[in-house]
Amino acid sequence: MDLFKRELINRFCAYLEAERNYSPNTVSAYLKDTESFAFFIKDCDFKDVTRDSIRNYITHLKDSGLSKASVARKFAVVRALYKFLIINNIVSENPLRVMSYPKTEKKVPVFLTEKEVYNLLETSNLPLRDRAMIELLYSSGLRIEELVSLNVSSIDFISGFVRVLGKGSKERTVPVTDICLDAINNYLSFRRAQGLQALPKDALFLNKFSKRIGSRGARKVLGGWFIKAGILKRISPHALRHSFATHLLDRGADLRSVQEMLGHKNIATTQVYTHVTIESLKNAYKKAHPRT
């Protein structure tokens, strides 16, 4: 790859981070996909890319055995790249202007039933920290990365809210149940009894070395409790976020409120949970109606 292309890619990634507030992980993914496209077009400059070049790239990706979702993601990255190049007057024409890639069908998210959540929290020997993490994930629908980034001061014990720094560095405030607040209080009291500080600026959840627990460590710990609770589904802690949204909608919460609590930018992202609730309604109908 020539130096000019490399410089443009670096500028594109800097733009995503500074102007679009993309997370480091997202920027890293965009960097890899942009480099993949740059290597494919080889000696061709970005400004010389045509619609046929893009079609050939899509064909190459499909022939490589990538899933439809992966191909769609890489196509979206190239689209974002050319929007950036147009904005900065680096290219005059966008080869993707009249091109579209079929949207992939969204998978229905895997979630736990209310009984499975109850069984998980009733697992014997569940430590106070792990109980508090599970309660908070299910109480407020946090992502695991959001959970581990919380400080003690993130929890408003008086008003019953948690302040969360979500994707794109956007802060949102989400309600917390009284049961969850009790679980967090019990964990913090235990920490103090062990001689560990729990000041407002301190990390809310600690690992065994008394440092902030990381997302990988939290996933490993919680994954172990899913197994001990007898949950046979292949799930991650993200399933608690899905369960939070699904159970709220099942019990009559409106879609806009759930969207705000989840921190979704687009309500279409939240609407995937309505498919889950519709399926549960259909199942209840089939079980109850005498003519089914």
Side-chain angles (χ1 to χ4, degrees):
M1 186 191 309
D2 62 58
L3 290 176
F4 184 62
K5 271 186 195 170
R6 169 58 61 191
E7 181 187 349
L8 288 178
I9 291 173
N10 289 342
R11 284 176 58 189
F12 173 54
C13 291
Y15 159 79
L16 293 175
E17 189 170 11
E19 300 295 328
R20 301 296 301 274
N21 289 321
Y22 283 8
S23 71
N25 287 342
T26 302
V27 173
S28 177
Y30 269 66
L31 172 62
K32 290 178 182 177
D33 287 344
T34 310
E35 287 177 337
S36 168
F37 174 67
F39 282 120
F40 177 79
I41 61 175
K42 296 180 180 176
D43 299 328
C44 180
D45 289 335
F46 287 134
K47 62 182 176 60
D48 297 324
V49 169
T50 64
R51 280 195 290 269
D52 284 340
S53 304
I54 302 296
R55 291 192 186 100
N56 291 337
Y57 179 56
I58 297 301
T59 301
H60 162 73
L61 294 175
K62 290 179 178 177
D63 291 344
S64 300
L66 292 178
S67 66
K68 288 182 179 179
S70 295
V71 175
R73 189 197 71 236
K74 289 178 182 289
F75 179 84
V77 169
V78 177
R79 181 185 292 280
L81 169 67
Y82 271 89
K83 283 183 179 179
F84 166 79
L85 296 175
I86 289 285
I87 289 170
N88 288 274
N89 298 315
I90 296 164
V91 301
S92 57
E93 290 189 21
N94 186 346
L96 293 89
R97 185 173 58 86
V98 293
M99 293 183 69
S100 62
Y101 190 80
K103 290 185 177 180
T104 56
E105 188 175 325
K106 288 191 175 182
K107 294 180 180 178
V108 175
V110 178
F111 67 99
L112 303 180
T113 64
E114 292 183 30
K115 181 172 173 51
E116 285 172 328
V117 174
Y118 176 81
N119 290 342
L120 175 62
L121 289 164
E122 290 302 309
T123 307
S124 60
N125 301 317
L126 184 62
L128 293 174
R129 181 203 64 180
D130 300 352
R131 176 180 297 280
M133 289 199 297
I134 293 169
E135 287 281 10
L136 189 49
L137 287 170
Y138 180 60
S139 168
S140 303
L142 307 188
R143 302 176 179 92
I144 196 73
E145 292 81 8
E146 295 170 344
L147 179 88
V148 300
S149 68
L150 295 176
N151 295 329
V152 175
S153 60
S154 302
I155 307 294
D156 187 334
F157 288 95
I158 297 174
S159 300
F161 285 92
V162 56
R163 290 184 297 278
V164 186
L165 193 63
K167 286 187 175 181
S169 299
K170 291 184 178 178
E171 188 176 88
R172 69 183 190 277
T173 303
V174 188
V176 184
T177 65
D178 290 340
I179 293 174
C180 179
L181 292 174
D182 288 342
I184 295 171
N185 258 323
N186 291 338
Y187 166 59
L188 294 178
S189 297
F190 171 77
R191 265 174 57 173
R192 295 187 187 97
Q194 298 295 309
L196 299 172
Q197 287 187 330
L199 300 174
K201 64 179 180 179
D202 294 332
L204 181 58
F205 296 111
L206 305 178
N207 60 21
K208 62 182 179 181
F209 303 109
S210 301
K211 304 291 184 184
R212 183 186 297 274
I213 192 170
S215 56
R216 182 180 296 179
R219 283 192 181 92
K220 184 176 180 182
V221 167
L222 297 177
W225 288 114
F226 292 147
I227 295 170
K228 290 177 183 177
I231 298 170
L232 302 179
K233 303 171 185 175
R234 292 189 63 182
I235 58 171
S236 71
H238 208 67
L240 289 168
R241 177 173 164 87
H242 295 325
S243 306
F244 161 83
T246 302
H247 297 168
L248 282 180
L249 290 169
D250 274 344
R251 289 173 173 264
D254 67 276
L255 198 62
R256 287 284 181 188
S257 297
V258 175
Q259 176 193 2
E260 288 232 357
M261 288 185 275
L262 290 173
H264 286 161
K265 183 178 179 181
N266 194 324
I267 198 166
T269 310
T270 317
Q271 283 174 330
V272 69
Y273 296 107
T274 61
H275 299 309
V276 177
T277 58
I278 288 169
E279 282 302 312
S280 67
L281 283 173
K282 283 169 63 179
N283 291 334
Y285 176 82
K286 286 178 181 178
K287 286 179 181 178
H289 199 285
R291 300 287 287 177
T292 58

